[in-house]
Amino acid sequence: MSSGIMGLRTALSQSRIVTFGAIAAGIWIVLTILTVYQRLGPLSSGGVGQTPISGLIGLVVMGATLALLFVLYGELSEEEPAPDPWE
């Protein structure tokens, strides 16, 4: 658990705005995924309007976007490789 806290501290110290943006986007995507999941109906509905297949595709796309946000957050919390200091 402490590595997660240290990762957040490192990410905030390196790029505060991007970290807050990534966290806010992640929360928004999770809430949207939950909303879409609740609206999914039976898979045999008609082909007009919001269909369950389009909802499933949307869930997959939002899940992939959330995975990319986790990768971005992981990269923000890394300290290495850091550039060499000027001497």
Side-chain angles (χ1 to χ4, degrees), residues 4-50:
I5 293 172
M6 290 303 293
L8 183 59
R9 287 182 186 165
T10 303
L12 285 173
S13 68
Q14 290 181 1
S15 182
R16 185 177 303 264
I17 293 175
V18 175
T19 304
F20 284 140
I23 291 172
I27 292 170
W28 178 76
I29 289 174
V30 167
L31 292 176
T32 305
I33 286 173
L34 292 174
T35 302
V36 170
Y37 181 74
Q38 289 175 354
R39 290 185 181 186
L40 283 179
L43 292 177
S44 62
S45 68
V48 178
Q50 295 179 347

Side-chain angles (χ1 to χ4, degrees), residues 1-2 13 18 25 31 36 41 45 49 59 66 72 76-77 81 86:
M1 184 68 174
S2 65
S13 68
V18 175
L31 292 176
V36 170
S45 68
L59 288 176
L66 190 61
L72 172 67
L76 284 174
S77 61
W86 289 87

